[in-house]
Amino acid sequence: MMGEDKFDTSPEWVDGETKALEAPGDHRAELRLWLRLLTCSTLVESEIRRRLREEFDSTLPRFDLMAQLERAPDGMVLGEVSKRMMVSPGNITVLVERLTESGHISRTTLPTDRRVQVIALTPFGRAEFEKMAATHADWISDLFAGLSPKESGVLMDELAKLKRSVISALAKNT
Amino acid sequence: MMGEDKFDTSPEWVDGETKALEAPGDHRAELRLWLRLLTCSTLVESEIRRRLREEFDSTLPRFDLMAQLERAPDGMVLGEVSKRMMVSPGNITVLVERLTESGHISRTTLPTDRRVQVIALTPFGRAEFEKMAATHADWISDLFAGLSPKESGVLMDELAKLKRSVISALAKNT
DNA sequence: ACAATAAATTTCAAGCTTAAAATTGTTTTG
DNA sequence: CAAAACAATTTTAAGCTTGAAATTTATTGT
């Protein structure tokens, strides 16, 4: 863990005053930041889920899966979908079953390797997805409307740093 | 769907100046921002879930519920817990059942209003939670270690703006 | 060729989550 | 004082999610 750079040689804006008030191992600032991040994403996510259900009788996982397939005209292997969506393989199996039943996607066993399943949007699924995607984009735009382009840019950059930080921490712990 | 209004005869509300570089309805920047936010929170969240399970044989919802109770020495009403955690009331019922079984929390029916259930941490639950909380704080600190205090501050502020934006958008749509 | 190994996917058991309906208890009002 | 309205919670049905075990298929070393 960090924050114990007692011999910190970092820039002057880290003044003794700020540090003086913090005990070693005081992680309150990070915790607040994490809670705020989680609150924001929960607020947006649950609203999107609600609207997908009400207006399209669909769900976020279904939408996300179709979004992955939209940019893969030749389809995608299940394992790849699982990785990109950051969910477990078993999860994909269930989603694919339902989306196949409802006619939104097709699934094919690869002839050269019968372990491999390739899924792709059907024309119907693509049409449905495009309708949803356009509306979805409006929703997001709406929810984020209070941020100026400049503020969006700053947030984008800071989140990029956070993402790098998290990924690097994950990589370290084996 | 979007982009098909080739024969749109609607008024030219689009101000040529601001929108000069963007097609009407171009929400790509907001979408990217939302995806990045979601990625960050998913990365952190799933790592925290994993560690809670592996190191404490617990779950994030249980931890969150206990965290709410920690600051309420006299206990809290179920409805209040539900609101603070931003989850459905039915969800709380299940969590409370299990945490009561395992001895982490106690539940009492309010004598003055027998509809109301008050839950509180037991001494055992408090001790367990304190162990988890300390470790949890280290995990978060670790994952966020790549951000300087200044960057954390900026991110904190931008997320505050986003939170206001989302809440205000939710309030508008009734 | 063939046993061991590895890879892709599915199955399983358990728990989380939600919205809507039902239940139980309280308050307000005619 | 009832009846209606309201409030807190639980139940229900359906779907999501996971990790681990199992299954199916391919590859590799001998």
mmCIF file with all atom_site columns, all heavy atoms in Angstrom, chain C residues 17-26:
data_model
loop_
_atom_site.group_PDB
_atom_site.id
_atom_site.type_symbol
_atom_site.label_atom_id
_atom_site.label_alt_id
_atom_site.label_comp_id
_atom_site.label_asym_id
_atom_site.label_entity_id
_atom_site.label_seq_id
_atom_site.pdbx_PDB_ins_code
_atom_site.Cartn_x
_atom_site.Cartn_y
_atom_site.Cartn_z
_atom_site.occupancy
_atom_site.B_iso_or_equiv
_atom_site.pdbx_formal_charge
_atom_site.auth_seq_id
_atom_site.auth_comp_id
_atom_site.auth_asym_id
_atom_site.auth_atom_id
_atom_site.pdbx_PDB_model_num
ATOM 1   P P     . DT C 1 17 ? -26.842 -6.826  -4.574  1.00 0.00 ? 17 DT C P     1
ATOM 2   O OP1   . DT C 1 17 ? -25.886 -5.879  -5.174  1.00 0.00 ? 17 DT C OP1   1
ATOM 3   O OP2   . DT C 1 17 ? -27.247 -6.722  -3.162  1.00 0.00 ? 17 DT C OP2   1
ATOM 4   O "O5'" . DT C 1 17 ? -28.175 -6.783  -5.456  1.00 0.00 ? 17 DT C "O5'" 1
ATOM 5   C "C5'" . DT C 1 17 ? -28.073 -6.584  -6.853  1.00 0.00 ? 17 DT C "C5'" 1
ATOM 6   C "C4'" . DT C 1 17 ? -29.444 -6.585  -7.457  1.00 0.00 ? 17 DT C "C4'" 1
ATOM 7   O "O4'" . DT C 1 17 ? -29.980 -7.918  -7.398  1.00 0.00 ? 17 DT C "O4'" 1
ATOM 8   C "C3'" . DT C 1 17 ? -30.469 -5.757  -6.691  1.00 0.00 ? 17 DT C "C3'" 1
ATOM 9   O "O3'" . DT C 1 17 ? -30.514 -4.452  -7.266  1.00 0.00 ? 17 DT C "O3'" 1
ATOM 10  C "C2'" . DT C 1 17 ? -31.794 -6.519  -6.905  1.00 0.00 ? 17 DT C "C2'" 1
ATOM 11  C "C1'" . DT C 1 17 ? -31.373 -7.792  -7.601  1.00 0.00 ? 17 DT C "C1'" 1
ATOM 12  N N1    . DT C 1 17 ? -31.995 -9.034  -7.069  1.00 0.00 ? 17 DT C N1    1
ATOM 13  C C2    . DT C 1 17 ? -32.851 -9.729  -7.885  1.00 0.00 ? 17 DT C C2    1
ATOM 14  O O2    . DT C 1 17 ? -33.134 -9.363  -9.002  1.00 0.00 ? 17 DT C O2    1
ATOM 15  N N3    . DT C 1 17 ? -33.372 -10.870 -7.330  1.00 0.00 ? 17 DT C N3    1
ATOM 16  C C4    . DT C 1 17 ? -33.128 -11.374 -6.072  1.00 0.00 ? 17 DT C C4    1
ATOM 17  O O4    . DT C 1 17 ? -33.654 -12.423 -5.693  1.00 0.00 ? 17 DT C O4    1
ATOM 18  C C5    . DT C 1 17 ? -32.217 -10.594 -5.269  1.00 0.00 ? 17 DT C C5    1
ATOM 19  C C7    . DT C 1 17 ? -31.886 -11.051 -3.886  1.00 0.00 ? 17 DT C C7    1
ATOM 20  C C6    . DT C 1 17 ? -31.695 -9.472  -5.796  1.00 0.00 ? 17 DT C C6    1
ATOM 21  P P     . DT C 1 18 ? -31.561 -3.402  -6.666  1.00 0.00 ? 18 DT C P     1
ATOM 22  O OP1   . DT C 1 18 ? -31.045 -2.073  -6.956  1.00 0.00 ? 18 DT C OP1   1
ATOM 23  O OP2   . DT C 1 18 ? -31.929 -3.780  -5.295  1.00 0.00 ? 18 DT C OP2   1
ATOM 24  O "O5'" . DT C 1 18 ? -32.819 -3.646  -7.601  1.00 0.00 ? 18 DT C "O5'" 1
ATOM 25  C "C5'" . DT C 1 18 ? -32.591 -3.951  -8.968  1.00 0.00 ? 18 DT C "C5'" 1
ATOM 26  C "C4'" . DT C 1 18 ? -33.912 -4.363  -9.597  1.00 0.00 ? 18 DT C "C4'" 1
ATOM 27  O "O4'" . DT C 1 18 ? -34.160 -5.747  -9.288  1.00 0.00 ? 18 DT C "O4'" 1
ATOM 28  C "C3'" . DT C 1 18 ? -35.086 -3.577  -9.052  1.00 0.00 ? 18 DT C "C3'" 1
ATOM 29  O "O3'" . DT C 1 18 ? -35.593 -2.760  -10.084 1.00 0.00 ? 18 DT C "O3'" 1
ATOM 30  C "C2'" . DT C 1 18 ? -36.096 -4.607  -8.586  1.00 0.00 ? 18 DT C "C2'" 1
ATOM 31  C "C1'" . DT C 1 18 ? -35.536 -5.920  -9.055  1.00 0.00 ? 18 DT C "C1'" 1
ATOM 32  N N1    . DT C 1 18 ? -35.635 -6.986  -8.026  1.00 0.00 ? 18 DT C N1    1
ATOM 33  C C2    . DT C 1 18 ? -36.275 -8.149  -8.362  1.00 0.00 ? 18 DT C C2    1
ATOM 34  O O2    . DT C 1 18 ? -36.769 -8.333  -9.455  1.00 0.00 ? 18 DT C O2    1
ATOM 35  N N3    . DT C 1 18 ? -36.318 -9.093  -7.368  1.00 0.00 ? 18 DT C N3    1
ATOM 36  C C4    . DT C 1 18 ? -35.796 -8.975  -6.097  1.00 0.00 ? 18 DT C C4    1
ATOM 37  O O4    . DT C 1 18 ? -35.886 -9.886  -5.289  1.00 0.00 ? 18 DT C O4    1
ATOM 38  C C5    . DT C 1 18 ? -35.135 -7.723  -5.820  1.00 0.00 ? 18 DT C C5    1
ATOM 39  C C7    . DT C 1 18 ? -34.533 -7.511  -4.465  1.00 0.00 ? 18 DT C C7    1
ATOM 40  C C6    . DT C 1 18 ? -35.082 -6.802  -6.783  1.00 0.00 ? 18 DT C C6    1
ATOM 41  P P     . DA C 1 19 ? -36.731 -1.692  -9.701  1.00 0.00 ? 19 DA C P     1
ATOM 42  O OP1   . DA C 1 19 ? -36.524 -0.610  -10.680 1.00 0.00 ? 19 DA C OP1   1
ATOM 43  O OP2   . DA C 1 19 ? -36.795 -1.418  -8.255  1.00 0.00 ? 19 DA C OP2   1
ATOM 44  O "O5'" . DA C 1 19 ? -38.060 -2.478  -10.087 1.00 0.00 ? 19 DA C "O5'" 1
ATOM 45  C "C5'" . DA C 1 19 ? -38.236 -2.913  -11.430 1.00 0.00 ? 19 DA C "C5'" 1
ATOM 46  C "C4'" . DA C 1 19 ? -39.582 -3.580  -11.525 1.00 0.00 ? 19 DA C "C4'" 1
ATOM 47  O "O4'" . DA C 1 19 ? -39.594 -4.752  -10.678 1.00 0.00 ? 19 DA C "O4'" 1
ATOM 48  C "C3'" . DA C 1 19 ? -40.751 -2.715  -11.056 1.00 0.00 ? 19 DA C "C3'" 1
ATOM 49  O "O3'" . DA C 1 19 ? -41.828 -3.022  -11.920 1.00 0.00 ? 19 DA C "O3'" 1
ATOM 50  C "C2'" . DA C 1 19 ? -40.984 -3.170  -9.618  1.00 0.00 ? 19 DA C "C2'" 1
ATOM 51  C "C1'" . DA C 1 19 ? -40.600 -4.640  -9.682  1.00 0.00 ? 19 DA C "C1'" 1
ATOM 52  N N9    . DA C 1 19 ? -40.021 -5.184  -8.457  1.00 0.00 ? 19 DA C N9    1
ATOM 53  C C8    . DA C 1 19 ? -39.212 -4.552  -7.553  1.00 0.00 ? 19 DA C C8    1
ATOM 54  N N7    . DA C 1 19 ? -38.816 -5.312  -6.560  1.00 0.00 ? 19 DA C N7    1
ATOM 55  C C5    . DA C 1 19 ? -39.391 -6.537  -6.835  1.00 0.00 ? 19 DA C C5    1
ATOM 56  C C6    . DA C 1 19 ? -39.362 -7.778  -6.162  1.00 0.00 ? 19 DA C C6    1
ATOM 57  N N6    . DA C 1 19 ? -38.678 -7.981  -5.037  1.00 0.00 ? 19 DA C N6    1
ATOM 58  N N1    . DA C 1 19 ? -40.049 -8.803  -6.705  1.00 0.00 ? 19 DA C N1    1
ATOM 59  C C2    . DA C 1 19 ? -40.714 -8.589  -7.840  1.00 0.00 ? 19 DA C C2    1
ATOM 60  N N3    . DA C 1 19 ? -40.827 -7.475  -8.570  1.00 0.00 ? 19 DA C N3    1
ATOM 61  C C4    . DA C 1 19 ? -40.136 -6.474  -8.001  1.00 0.00 ? 19 DA C C4    1
ATOM 62  P P     . DA C 1 20 ? -43.213 -2.266  -11.775 1.00 0.00 ? 20 DA C P     1
ATOM 63  O OP1   . DA C 1 20 ? -43.641 -1.995  -13.156 1.00 0.00 ? 20 DA C OP1   1
ATOM 64  O OP2   . DA C 1 20 ? -43.084 -1.174  -10.783 1.00 0.00 ? 20 DA C OP2   1
ATOM 65  O "O5'" . DA C 1 20 ? -44.157 -3.390  -11.159 1.00 0.00 ? 20 DA C "O5'" 1
ATOM 66  C "C5'" . DA C 1 20 ? -44.074 -4.712  -11.680 1.00 0.00 ? 20 DA C "C5'" 1
ATOM 67  C "C4'" . DA C 1 20 ? -44.929 -5.618  -10.825 1.00 0.00 ? 20 DA C "C4'" 1
ATOM 68  O "O4'" . DA C 1 20 ? -44.180 -6.053  -9.665  1.00 0.00 ? 20 DA C "O4'" 1
ATOM 69  C "C3'" . DA C 1 20 ? -46.189 -4.949  -10.278 1.00 0.00 ? 20 DA C "C3'" 1
ATOM 70  O "O3'" . DA C 1 20 ? -47.240 -5.894  -10.350 1.00 0.00 ? 20 DA C "O3'" 1
ATOM 71  C "C2'" . DA C 1 20 ? -45.820 -4.612  -8.840  1.00 0.00 ? 20 DA C "C2'" 1
ATOM 72  C "C1'" . DA C 1 20 ? -44.926 -5.797  -8.491  1.00 0.00 ? 20 DA C "C1'" 1
ATOM 73  N N9    . DA C 1 20 ? -43.978 -5.564  -7.402  1.00 0.00 ? 20 DA C N9    1
ATOM 74  C C8    . DA C 1 20 ? -43.320 -4.415  -7.090  1.00 0.00 ? 20 DA C C8    1
ATOM 75  N N7    . DA C 1 20 ? -42.517 -4.521  -6.047  1.00 0.00 ? 20 DA C N7    1
ATOM 76  C C5    . DA C 1 20 ? -42.661 -5.834  -5.655  1.00 0.00 ? 20 DA C C5    1
ATOM 77  C C6    . DA C 1 20 ? -42.084 -6.589  -4.613  1.00 0.00 ? 20 DA C C6    1
ATOM 78  N N6    . DA C 1 20 ? -41.207 -6.086  -3.751  1.00 0.00 ? 20 DA C N6    1
ATOM 79  N N1    . DA C 1 20 ? -42.451 -7.881  -4.513  1.00 0.00 ? 20 DA C N1    1
ATOM 80  C C2    . DA C 1 20 ? -43.324 -8.380  -5.386  1.00 0.00 ? 20 DA C C2    1
ATOM 81  N N3    . DA C 1 20 ? -43.938 -7.777  -6.401  1.00 0.00 ? 20 DA C N3    1
ATOM 82  C C4    . DA C 1 20 ? -43.557 -6.489  -6.486  1.00 0.00 ? 20 DA C C4    1
ATOM 83  P P     . DA C 1 21 ? -48.744 -5.511  -9.939  1.00 0.00 ? 21 DA C P     1
ATOM 84  O OP1   . DA C 1 21 ? -49.586 -5.879  -11.086 1.00 0.00 ? 21 DA C OP1   1
ATOM 85  O OP2   . DA C 1 21 ? -48.755 -4.142  -9.374  1.00 0.00 ? 21 DA C OP2   1
ATOM 86  O "O5'" . DA C 1 21 ? -49.019 -6.549  -8.763  1.00 0.00 ? 21 DA C "O5'" 1
ATOM 87  C "C5'" . DA C 1 21 ? -48.651 -7.922  -8.959  1.00 0.00 ? 21 DA C "C5'" 1
ATOM 88  C "C4'" . DA C 1 21 ? -48.794 -8.656  -7.652  1.00 0.00 ? 21 DA C "C4'" 1
ATOM 89  O "O4'" . DA C 1 21 ? -47.703 -8.306  -6.767  1.00 0.00 ? 21 DA C "O4'" 1
ATOM 90  C "C3'" . DA C 1 21 ? -50.074 -8.328  -6.892  1.00 0.00 ? 21 DA C "C3'" 1
ATOM 91  O "O3'" . DA C 1 21 ? -50.615 -9.537  -6.409  1.00 0.00 ? 21 DA C "O3'" 1
ATOM 92  C "C2'" . DA C 1 21 ? -49.616 -7.386  -5.776  1.00 0.00 ? 21 DA C "C2'" 1
ATOM 93  C "C1'" . DA C 1 21 ? -48.204 -7.896  -5.507  1.00 0.00 ? 21 DA C "C1'" 1
ATOM 94  N N9    . DA C 1 21 ? -47.267 -6.893  -4.979  1.00 0.00 ? 21 DA C N9    1
ATOM 95  C C8    . DA C 1 21 ? -47.084 -5.606  -5.401  1.00 0.00 ? 21 DA C C8    1
ATOM 96  N N7    . DA C 1 21 ? -46.161 -4.952  -4.724  1.00 0.00 ? 21 DA C N7    1
ATOM 97  C C5    . DA C 1 21 ? -45.710 -5.876  -3.802  1.00 0.00 ? 21 DA C C5    1
ATOM 98  C C6    . DA C 1 21 ? -44.730 -5.800  -2.786  1.00 0.00 ? 21 DA C C6    1
ATOM 99  N N6    . DA C 1 21 ? -43.995 -4.717  -2.543  1.00 0.00 ? 21 DA C N6    1
ATOM 100 N N1    . DA C 1 21 ? -44.522 -6.904  -2.041  1.00 0.00 ? 21 DA C N1    1
ATOM 101 C C2    . DA C 1 21 ? -45.253 -7.995  -2.297  1.00 0.00 ? 21 DA C C2    1
ATOM 102 N N3    . DA C 1 21 ? -46.208 -8.186  -3.223  1.00 0.00 ? 21 DA C N3    1
ATOM 103 C C4    . DA C 1 21 ? -46.382 -7.075  -3.943  1.00 0.00 ? 21 DA C C4    1
ATOM 104 P P     . DA C 1 22 ? -51.898 -9.584  -5.448  1.00 0.00 ? 22 DA C P     1
ATOM 105 O OP1   . DA C 1 22 ? -52.650 -10.804 -5.792  1.00 0.00 ? 22 DA C OP1   1
ATOM 106 O OP2   . DA C 1 22 ? -52.544 -8.247  -5.472  1.00 0.00 ? 22 DA C OP2   1
ATOM 107 O "O5'" . DA C 1 22 ? -51.244 -9.794  -4.019  1.00 0.00 ? 22 DA C "O5'" 1
ATOM 108 C "C5'" . DA C 1 22 ? -50.380 -10.907 -3.821  1.00 0.00 ? 22 DA C "C5'" 1
ATOM 109 C "C4'" . DA C 1 22 ? -49.931 -10.913 -2.372  1.00 0.00 ? 22 DA C "C4'" 1
ATOM 110 O "O4'" . DA C 1 22 ? -49.027 -9.821  -2.157  1.00 0.00 ? 22 DA C "O4'" 1
ATOM 111 C "C3'" . DA C 1 22 ? -51.067 -10.746 -1.370  1.00 0.00 ? 22 DA C "C3'" 1
ATOM 112 O "O3'" . DA C 1 22 ? -50.921 -11.757 -0.388  1.00 0.00 ? 22 DA C "O3'" 1
ATOM 113 C "C2'" . DA C 1 22 ? -50.875 -9.330  -0.819  1.00 0.00 ? 22 DA C "C2'" 1
ATOM 114 C "C1'" . DA C 1 22 ? -49.363 -9.148  -0.960  1.00 0.00 ? 22 DA C "C1'" 1
ATOM 115 N N9    . DA C 1 22 ? -48.900 -7.767  -1.111  1.00 0.00 ? 22 DA C N9    1
ATOM 116 C C8    . DA C 1 22 ? -49.349 -6.818  -1.982  1.00 0.00 ? 22 DA C C8    1
ATOM 117 N N7    . DA C 1 22 ? -48.721 -5.661  -1.898  1.00 0.00 ? 22 DA C N7    1
ATOM 118 C C5    . DA C 1 22 ? -47.786 -5.874  -0.892  1.00 0.00 ? 22 DA C C5    1
ATOM 119 C C6    . DA C 1 22 ? -46.813 -5.045  -0.306  1.00 0.00 ? 22 DA C C6    1
ATOM 120 N N6    . DA C 1 22 ? -46.599 -3.771  -0.687  1.00 0.00 ? 22 DA C N6    1
ATOM 121 N N1    . DA C 1 22 ? -46.046 -5.559  0.671   1.00 0.00 ? 22 DA C N1    1
ATOM 122 C C2    . DA C 1 22 ? -46.257 -6.834  1.040   1.00 0.00 ? 22 DA C C2    1
ATOM 123 N N3    . DA C 1 22 ? -47.139 -7.711  0.582   1.00 0.00 ? 22 DA C N3    1
ATOM 124 C C4    . DA C 1 22 ? -47.882 -7.159  -0.399  1.00 0.00 ? 22 DA C C4    1
ATOM 125 P P     . DT C 1 23 ? -51.991 -11.849 0.814   1.00 0.00 ? 23 DT C P     1
ATOM 126 O OP1   . DT C 1 23 ? -52.123 -13.286 1.141   1.00 0.00 ? 23 DT C OP1   1
ATOM 127 O OP2   . DT C 1 23 ? -53.178 -11.026 0.501   1.00 0.00 ? 23 DT C OP2   1
ATOM 128 O "O5'" . DT C 1 23 ? -51.175 -11.163 1.990   1.00 0.00 ? 23 DT C "O5'" 1
ATOM 129 C "C5'" . DT C 1 23 ? -49.844 -11.604 2.257   1.00 0.00 ? 23 DT C "C5'" 1
ATOM 130 C "C4'" . DT C 1 23 ? -49.280 -10.834 3.442   1.00 0.00 ? 23 DT C "C4'" 1
ATOM 131 O "O4'" . DT C 1 23 ? -48.891 -9.519  3.010   1.00 0.00 ? 23 DT C "O4'" 1
ATOM 132 C "C3'" . DT C 1 23 ? -50.262 -10.644 4.589   1.00 0.00 ? 23 DT C "C3'" 1
ATOM 133 O "O3'" . DT C 1 23 ? -49.620 -11.091 5.771   1.00 0.00 ? 23 DT C "O3'" 1
ATOM 134 C "C2'" . DT C 1 23 ? -50.530 -9.141  4.620   1.00 0.00 ? 23 DT C "C2'" 1
ATOM 135 C "C1'" . DT C 1 23 ? -49.248 -8.589  4.007   1.00 0.00 ? 23 DT C "C1'" 1
ATOM 136 N N1    . DT C 1 23 ? -49.339 -7.276  3.330   1.00 0.00 ? 23 DT C N1    1
ATOM 137 C C2    . DT C 1 23 ? -48.417 -6.311  3.646   1.00 0.00 ? 23 DT C C2    1
ATOM 138 O O2    . DT C 1 23 ? -47.535 -6.470  4.466   1.00 0.00 ? 23 DT C O2    1
ATOM 139 N N3    . DT C 1 23 ? -48.548 -5.135  2.953   1.00 0.00 ? 23 DT C N3    1
ATOM 140 C C4    . DT C 1 23 ? -49.502 -4.840  1.998   1.00 0.00 ? 23 DT C C4    1
ATOM 141 O O4    . DT C 1 23 ? -49.517 -3.744  1.438   1.00 0.00 ? 23 DT C O4    1
ATOM 142 C C5    . DT C 1 23 ? -50.448 -5.892  1.717   1.00 0.00 ? 23 DT C C5    1
ATOM 143 C C7    . DT C 1 23 ? -51.521 -5.675  0.698   1.00 0.00 ? 23 DT C C7    1
ATOM 144 C C6    . DT C 1 23 ? -50.314 -7.044  2.383   1.00 0.00 ? 23 DT C C6    1
ATOM 145 P P     . DT C 1 24 ? -50.478 -11.275 7.132   1.00 0.00 ? 24 DT C P     1
ATOM 146 O OP1   . DT C 1 24 ? -49.929 -12.467 7.824   1.00 0.00 ? 24 DT C OP1   1
ATOM 147 O OP2   . DT C 1 24 ? -51.930 -11.157 6.852   1.00 0.00 ? 24 DT C OP2   1
ATOM 148 O "O5'" . DT C 1 24 ? -50.031 -9.990  7.955   1.00 0.00 ? 24 DT C "O5'" 1
ATOM 149 C "C5'" . DT C 1 24 ? -48.650 -9.745  8.179   1.00 0.00 ? 24 DT C "C5'" 1
ATOM 150 C "C4'" . DT C 1 24 ? -48.489 -8.342  8.716   1.00 0.00 ? 24 DT C "C4'" 1
ATOM 151 O "O4'" . DT C 1 24 ? -48.741 -7.392  7.670   1.00 0.00 ? 24 DT C "O4'" 1
ATOM 152 C "C3'" . DT C 1 24 ? -49.458 -8.003  9.850   1.00 0.00 ? 24 DT C "C3'" 1
ATOM 153 O "O3'" . DT C 1 24 ? -48.683 -7.640  10.976  1.00 0.00 ? 24 DT C "O3'" 1
ATOM 154 C "C2'" . DT C 1 24 ? -50.301 -6.848  9.309   1.00 0.00 ? 24 DT C "C2'" 1
ATOM 155 C "C1'" . DT C 1 24 ? -49.387 -6.276  8.229   1.00 0.00 ? 24 DT C "C1'" 1
ATOM 156 N N1    . DT C 1 24 ? -50.025 -5.554  7.102   1.00 0.00 ? 24 DT C N1    1
ATOM 157 C C2    . DT C 1 24 ? -49.487 -4.357  6.735   1.00 0.00 ? 24 DT C C2    1
ATOM 158 O O2    . DT C 1 24 ? -48.532 -3.856  7.289   1.00 0.00 ? 24 DT C O2    1
ATOM 159 N N3    . DT C 1 24 ? -50.116 -3.752  5.671   1.00 0.00 ? 24 DT C N3    1
ATOM 160 C C4    . DT C 1 24 ? -51.197 -4.226  4.962   1.00 0.00 ? 24 DT C C4    1
ATOM 161 O O4    . DT C 1 24 ? -51.654 -3.586  4.030   1.00 0.00 ? 24 DT C O4    1
ATOM 162 C C5    . DT C 1 24 ? -51.717 -5.494  5.403   1.00 0.00 ? 24 DT C C5    1
ATOM 163 C C7    . DT C 1 24 ? -52.890 -6.101  4.694   1.00 0.00 ? 24 DT C C7    1
ATOM 164 C C6    . DT C 1 24 ? -51.110 -6.103  6.445   1.00 0.00 ? 24 DT C C6    1
ATOM 165 P P     . DG C 1 25 ? -49.405 -7.341  12.398  1.00 0.00 ? 25 DG C P     1
ATOM 166 O OP1   . DG C 1 25 ? -48.460 -7.786  13.441  1.00 0.00 ? 25 DG C OP1   1
ATOM 167 O OP2   . DG C 1 25 ? -50.800 -7.808  12.376  1.00 0.00 ? 25 DG C OP2   1
ATOM 168 O "O5'" . DG C 1 25 ? -49.406 -5.752  12.421  1.00 0.00 ? 25 DG C "O5'" 1
ATOM 169 C "C5'" . DG C 1 25 ? -48.161 -5.073  12.324  1.00 0.00 ? 25 DG C "C5'" 1
ATOM 170 C "C4'" . DG C 1 25 ? -48.422 -3.615  12.090  1.00 0.00 ? 25 DG C "C4'" 1
ATOM 171 O "O4'" . DG C 1 25 ? -49.068 -3.436  10.811  1.00 0.00 ? 25 DG C "O4'" 1
ATOM 172 C "C3'" . DG C 1 25 ? -49.331 -2.955  13.130  1.00 0.00 ? 25 DG C "C3'" 1
ATOM 173 O "O3'" . DG C 1 25 ? -48.597 -1.897  13.715  1.00 0.00 ? 25 DG C "O3'" 1
ATOM 174 C "C2'" . DG C 1 25 ? -50.538 -2.462  12.335  1.00 0.00 ? 25 DG C "C2'" 1
ATOM 175 C "C1'" . DG C 1 25 ? -49.973 -2.364  10.923  1.00 0.00 ? 25 DG C "C1'" 1
ATOM 176 N N9    . DG C 1 25 ? -50.919 -2.470  9.826   1.00 0.00 ? 25 DG C N9    1
ATOM 177 C C8    . DG C 1 25 ? -51.762 -3.514  9.513   1.00 0.00 ? 25 DG C C8    1
ATOM 178 N N7    . DG C 1 25 ? -52.477 -3.299  8.427   1.00 0.00 ? 25 DG C N7    1
ATOM 179 C C5    . DG C 1 25 ? -52.072 -2.035  8.010   1.00 0.00 ? 25 DG C C5    1
ATOM 180 C C6    . DG C 1 25 ? -52.491 -1.254  6.898   1.00 0.00 ? 25 DG C C6    1
ATOM 181 O O6    . DG C 1 25 ? -53.328 -1.538  6.028   1.00 0.00 ? 25 DG C O6    1
ATOM 182 N N1    . DG C 1 25 ? -51.825 -0.035  6.850   1.00 0.00 ? 25 DG C N1    1
ATOM 183 C C2    . DG C 1 25 ? -50.877 0.384   7.752   1.00 0.00 ? 25 DG C C2    1
ATOM 184 N N2    . DG C 1 25 ? -50.335 1.577   7.572   1.00 0.00 ? 25 DG C N2    1
ATOM 185 N N3    . DG C 1 25 ? -50.475 -0.328  8.793   1.00 0.00 ? 25 DG C N3    1
ATOM 186 C C4    . DG C 1 25 ? -51.115 -1.516  8.856   1.00 0.00 ? 25 DG C C4    1
ATOM 187 P P     . DT C 1 26 ? -49.249 -1.003  14.851  1.00 0.00 ? 26 DT C P     1
ATOM 188 O OP1   . DT C 1 26 ? -48.178 -0.651  15.788  1.00 0.00 ? 26 DT C OP1   1
ATOM 189 O OP2   . DT C 1 26 ? -50.496 -1.618  15.343  1.00 0.00 ? 26 DT C OP2   1
ATOM 190 O "O5'" . DT C 1 26 ? -49.611 0.302   14.014  1.00 0.00 ? 26 DT C "O5'" 1
ATOM 191 C "C5'" . DT C 1 26 ? -48.560 0.996   13.344  1.00 0.00 ? 26 DT C "C5'" 1
ATOM 192 C "C4'" . DT C 1 26 ? -49.102 2.206   12.627  1.00 0.00 ? 26 DT C "C4'" 1
ATOM 193 O "O4'" . DT C 1 26 ? -49.995 1.801   11.563  1.00 0.00 ? 26 DT C "O4'" 1
ATOM 194 C "C3'" . DT C 1 26 ? -49.873 3.196   13.489  1.00 0.00 ? 26 DT C "C3'" 1
ATOM 195 O "O3'" . DT C 1 26 ? -49.278 4.466   13.282  1.00 0.00 ? 26 DT C "O3'" 1
ATOM 196 C "C2'" . DT C 1 26 ? -51.304 3.119   12.962  1.00 0.00 ? 26 DT C "C2'" 1
ATOM 197 C "C1'" . DT C 1 26 ? -51.073 2.710   11.505  1.00 0.00 ? 26 DT C "C1'" 1
ATOM 198 N N1    . DT C 1 26 ? -52.170 1.978   10.814  1.00 0.00 ? 26 DT C N1    1
ATOM 199 C C2    . DT C 1 26 ? -52.660 2.492   9.640   1.00 0.00 ? 26 DT C C2    1
ATOM 200 O O2    . DT C 1 26 ? -52.273 3.521   9.134   1.00 0.00 ? 26 DT C O2    1
ATOM 201 N N3    . DT C 1 26 ? -53.649 1.741   9.054   1.00 0.00 ? 26 DT C N3    1
ATOM 202 C C4    . DT C 1 26 ? -54.169 0.549   9.520   1.00 0.00 ? 26 DT C C4    1
ATOM 203 O O4    . DT C 1 26 ? -55.052 -0.041  8.902   1.00 0.00 ? 26 DT C O4    1
ATOM 204 C C5    . DT C 1 26 ? -53.619 0.062   10.759  1.00 0.00 ? 26 DT C C5    1
ATOM 205 C C7    . DT C 1 26 ? -54.112 -1.211  11.354  1.00 0.00 ? 26 DT C C7    1
ATOM 206 C C6    . DT C 1 26 ? -52.639 0.800   11.349  1.00 0.00 ? 26 DT C C6    1
#
